[in-house]
Amino acid sequence: MADAVTVTLGGMGERARTWVAEGRYASMSEVVREGLRALEREDHALNAYYKAKVDEALTHPGPGIPLDEAFARIKATPFPK
């Protein structure tokens, strides 16, 4: 059984309607499902990135750094895109 959900797309709704009208997607539901798949891919990529960074940190041969310096570096690092 399909899950019925009401979604407000705001300004993105026109873009989605255009994609359906152009035949890029068969329906608005397909557009939303593809968006959710894209979010899943992004989530997977971010998890892999963070896991790699943690693994790198745990196997780093150098000395540790003070906690306040570690947090300062984290805050100064741009979020990956």
Side-chain angles (χ1 to χ4, degrees), residues 7-40:
V7 178
T8 302
L9 298 175
M12 297 173 73
E14 185 59 37
R15 182 182 310 165
R17 283 187 289 279
T18 298
W19 289 340
V20 172
E22 293 173 348
R24 185 171 176 180
Y25 296 94
S27 66
M28 291 295 280
S29 292
E30 191 176 302
V31 173
V32 172
R33 283 192 300 272
E34 182 59 29
L36 290 171
R37 284 190 288 270
L39 288 171
E40 284 179 339

Side-chain angles (χ1 to χ4, degrees), residues 55-66 73:
D55 289 346
E56 178 185 324
L58 292 174
T59 60
H60 188 273
I65 61 171
R73 287 185 189 183

